[in-house]
Amino acid sequence: KLDRKPRWKEHTQNITTNDNRILGLIKLIFWFYTEDVKKTLYTTIVKPKVEYAISTCDPLYNCDVEKLERVQRYAAPYCTGDYPYTSSVTGMLQKLQLQPLEKAEENLTLTFLYKIVHIVDVAKQSYLRLSEETRTRNVKSSNYKYLY
């Protein structure tokens, strides 16, 4: 369902529900495997869907980002095998070398823009427009502006 101001709330809700179910299934089936295998399962099955969903989120609505971040925070204790409530989930994420999803979203956007400008021969007009800025102070060096 699209409206004038798409918030993608239902989309992110479906993604988080589905990913939590998949994580639960992975926990049931692969509970006795090593940390490396569990991390590989998470990063190949669940994380790509979460990263895709975060690219559709509007940064102004942090509630959607927080829901998606919860999926990753839910997976961290399972991957490390460290379940006590006194353990730091942030520490587990650092141990697993998983960056916060906001940072991942920023990297995905920058990679996408780099490919449009430098590598991929796509219609740049559909994603970017030439800057009409004539000032030279306090202006980014790029000639393109991202259309959102």
Side-chain angles (χ1 to χ4, degrees):
K1 166 178 152 177
L2 293 175
D3 57 2
R4 196 168 181 98
K5 289 185 177 182
R7 290 185 58 184
W8 300 90
K9 194 169 194 169
E10 291 177 26
H11 179 70
T12 54
Q13 181 65 36
N14 290 337
I15 295 270
T16 56
T17 302
N18 189 25
D19 285 346
N20 282 327
R21 285 181 186 160
I22 291 172
L23 271 173
L25 185 63
I26 290 172
K27 280 183 176 184
L28 286 174
I29 296 172
F30 300 100
W31 61 272
F32 55 89
Y33 281 81
T34 64
E35 182 178 314
D36 292 334
V37 173
K38 293 176 184 179
K39 180 184 174 189
T40 303
L41 285 168
Y42 169 72
T43 55
T44 56
I45 298 173
V46 178
K47 192 172 181 185
K49 294 180 196 173
V50 174
E51 287 180 345
Y52 161 74
I54 202 151
S55 67
T56 63
C57 283
D58 189 346
L60 297 175
Y61 302 110
N62 282 336
C63 63
D64 294 341
V65 175
E66 290 171 2
K67 285 179 186 176
L68 294 167
E69 187 70 42
R70 265 187 245 139
V71 173
Q72 183 163 295
R73 295 182 74 79
Y74 175 67
Y78 163 71
C79 290
T80 59
D82 191 8
Y83 288 101
Y85 290 109
T86 57
S87 299
S88 168
V89 177
T90 305
M92 292 179 209
L93 291 172
Q94 290 173 349
K95 180 182 176 187
L96 293 168
Q97 298 174 346
L98 296 173
Q99 61 184 350
L101 292 175
E102 290 178 353
K103 183 71 173 167
E105 189 268 334
E106 182 181 312
N107 289 343
L108 288 170
T109 303
L110 291 173
T111 303
F112 178 66
L113 289 174
Y114 179 83
K115 286 179 180 180
I116 288 174
V117 173
H118 296 288
I119 298 173
V120 182
D121 187 25
V122 296
K124 292 180 183 177
Q125 294 79 17
S126 61
Y127 298 107
L128 301 170
R129 67 177 167 83
L130 284 173
S131 176
E132 297 169 1
E133 189 66 52
T134 57
R135 296 180 300 146
T136 56
R137 291 188 182 185
N138 298 327
V139 176
K140 305 267 187 216
S141 62
S142 175
N143 292 333
Y144 294 103
K145 288 190 176 180
Y146 187 57
L147 292 178
Y148 231 68

